[in-house]
Amino acid sequence: MWTGPVIPWVTIETLTPETMSVASVGESPRDFASWQRVLQRLLSKTPAVYDGLTTLEVAEAIRAARAGAQELARTVRTGAGRFRLLLRPVFGPAGDVHAVRLWLGPDDAPAPEPPAAVGAVWDLDSQTIEQPVGITRLTGGSPEQYVPRLSLAELFHRAAAFDRHAEVLDLLYDPGAGGRLQFDAAITHGAMRPGRWRFTIRSRDDERTRGAWLLVEDVTVPDAPSAPPTLERIGLREAHRRAGTHLAVLHLDFPSISHWLTDPAPWIRWDYLFRPVDVFHPADRARLAEVGARLGTGESAGVTVGTLNYAGGYTPTSLLLYPYPGCSSTRLAIAQLVRMAGDPAVRTRPDFDHPIGYDEQLHHWLAAGGDRSSAC
C-alpha cells in the first residue's frame, strides 16, 4: 500500500494553438510557467523514470492528448518498478481542448481525482462568455441556473471581494496577440456553497475566436475561511444602497453593462440575456456610441435611453456618463443610472427577430428568492 505523499496533477493550458504553459500544480497557481521546466522538475523527483521515459516522450504524449482530444494512460517500466503516466484533456464548449492534465507516479500510488475544470470562450462581438454544462460541476455552480452563454456583468456579479476588474476588461476588450492573465476569485451564487475558481485567460484574434479562451479550475479548499470584504467596500456599498444610487461600467461601442459597481438597478433586466446589448433599446445604441466620443475630452455627458425591464418593455432611464480610467484601449464609461421621475410610460419592446433571453432560468431564480444585489 502506498504511504508516500499525495502526488498532484499538473494542469497545462493549451488556450492558443501555438502555446502551452503550466496553469497549476495541484492547488498552486503557476502563472504560465514553462511546461518544460516544470516537467523536468517533476521527473527529477523520480530519477528512476528516466530509465524508461524521457522529457521528449512526455511532451509528445501531451501533444497527442491535445490533438486527439482523448485520455491517455501509459505504464513505464524502470529499474525501480513500474510507473504510470496519465493524461486527461479539459474541454471547452465546442469540444476543443483548453488544457491537458498530467499525473506521473509509481504504479502503486493512487492518482487522486482532479478537481473539476472546464474551458470557456469569450466572444467580443456577442459580448458573451460561452461555457459548457460542465461548469455546473465546479463548487458554486448550479445545474438549475446553467445557461450556455452569460455576460461579463453576470460573471463579475458572482465574484465576491474581487478587485481586478480593470485588468480583466482591458484584456478581454483588446484581443491583441500575447494578452494573458491568471487570477483566483471567490464565486457565490445564491444559497449554494461558495467556491474558489482559478481563471487562466489568453486573448485570441484568429479565424476561430475574436476575444479570448479561458480555462476555469475549481480550486476550492474545504472549510477554508472566506476573505471578509474590506471596511471601505462595505461602507461604500452601504452608502450607495441607502442613497439609492446605481453605478455601472458600460461598454459604449458594444452598448452593454460590463460590471455593476453598486447593487444592480432593480428596474433593469441585465442578466439571462442572449445578447447583452439588448439591455438598451435598439434606437439608443448608436446614441450611446456617439456620447462616448465626447468623453474623450475628460468631461461628463448625459443621455436618456430605454433600458430593458423584466416585463419585456423598455423603461426611460437617465444616464450620467463619466470617463472610465481603468482601461487603456477601450471606450468604457462609468454610468450613474436613474429611473425617470414620475414613472413615465414604459417604451414598448421592438419587434425583435430573436428571443430576449433565458426566461425559464430567470423565472426559476426569481421564484427561489434570488438576490439581485451584488455578491461583493
Side-chain angles (χ1 to χ4, degrees):
M1 178 178 294
W2 175 256
T3 59
V6 175
I7 301 172
W9 287 80
V10 178
T11 302
I12 301 169
E13 59 85 10
T14 57
L15 297 173
T16 60
E18 67 280 0
T19 60
M20 289 198 309
S21 67
V22 178
S24 303
V25 176
E27 298 171 354
S28 303
R30 285 297 182 266
D31 197 22
F32 304 96
S34 165
W35 64 268
Q36 296 96 330
R37 194 161 54 245
V38 172
L39 184 57
Q40 289 171 357
R41 189 177 301 119
L42 177 66
L43 291 175
S44 68
K45 295 180 179 179
T46 53
V49 176
Y50 279 115
D51 294 346
L53 191 65
T54 66
T55 304
L56 179 59
E57 289 174 319
V58 176
E60 290 175 347
I62 295 172
R63 293 191 180 96
R66 177 184 189 178
Q70 61 184 356
E71 297 185 8
L72 295 177
R74 178 177 174 182
T75 299
V76 182
R77 298 181 182 276
T78 74
R82 298 199 307 176
F83 284 74
R84 283 183 298 155
L85 173 65
L86 305 178
L87 297 172
R88 293 186 183 180
V90 177
F91 297 104
D96 299 290
V97 177
H98 286 228
V100 175
R101 284 174 150 172
L102 177 151
W103 186 88
L104 178 63
D107 191 53
D108 61 344
E113 185 65 24
V118 297
V121 175
W122 159 251
D123 180 67
L124 181 61
D125 294 332
S126 70
Q127 295 285 288
T128 59
I129 298 172
E130 186 178 1
Q131 56 182 5
V133 69
I135 195 82
T136 62
R137 294 190 294 109
L138 276 64
T139 306
S142 168
E144 295 80 11
Q145 295 302 308
Y146 167 75
V147 291
R149 292 176 179 268
L150 77 164
S151 67
L152 276 179
E154 290 175 280
L155 176 62
F156 286 148
H157 189 69
R158 300 177 187 180
F162 182 69
D163 60 1
R164 300 182 64 181
H165 305 90
E167 295 175 75
V168 178
L169 293 173
D170 214 7
L171 173 66
L172 296 184
Y173 282 129
D174 182 27
R180 66 185 193 184
L181 187 64
Q182 185 179 74
F183 58 88
D184 291 3
I187 299 296
T188 62
H189 193 52
M192 288 174 294
R193 176 191 170 198
R196 188 164 190 83
W197 295 2
R198 177 164 301 141
F199 294 84
T200 304
I201 309 174
R202 283 191 185 270
S203 61
R204 292 186 61 159
D205 190 3
D206 51 41
E207 68 281 357
R208 290 295 307 278
T209 303
R210 180 172 180 247
W213 277 24
L214 297 80
L215 168 66
V216 187
E217 301 175 77
D218 187 349
V219 292
T220 306
V221 177
D223 302 323
S226 58
T230 64
L231 181 61
E232 178 184 14
R233 183 183 297 272
I234 295 175
L236 288 174
R237 189 164 294 277
E238 183 60 27
H240 285 302
R241 183 179 291 115
R242 289 173 179 263
T245 306
H246 301 287
L247 300 174
V249 177
L250 305 187
H251 194 297
L252 300 175
D253 293 328
F254 303 84
S256 59
I257 296 174
S258 299
H259 170 46
W260 285 102
L261 298 170
T262 62
D263 290 349
W267 69 91
I268 298 177
R269 177 178 175 178
W270 55 276
D271 49 358
Y272 293 102
L273 298 175
F274 293 150
R275 296 166 13 115
V277 297
D278 284 339
V279 72
F280 295 111
H281 195 281
D284 297 324
R285 295 170 196 165
R287 295 174 57 220
L288 278 170
E290 293 172 359
V291 171
R294 293 159 49 190
L295 300 180
T297 63
E299 300 180 356
S300 61
V303 63
T304 298
V305 299
T307 55
L308 183 66
N309 56 48
Y310 287 95
Y314 280 81
T315 302
T317 300
S318 173
L319 304 182
L320 182 58
L321 303 171
Y322 304 89
Y324 180 73
C327 295
S328 59
S329 57
T330 304
R331 287 209 301 172
L332 297 177
I334 297 176
Q336 181 175 348
L337 302 94
V338 179
R339 183 170 183 167
M340 297 295 286
D343 194 21
V346 174
R347 295 174 61 171
T348 59
R349 167 180 167 174
D351 292 329
F352 285 120
D353 59 358
H354 59 273
I356 284 290
Y358 304 97
D359 291 351
E360 182 178 348
Q361 287 86 350
L362 172 66
H363 294 155
H364 184 279
W365 177 242
L366 293 176
D371 185 6
R372 314 310 296 167
S373 64
S374 173
C376 55

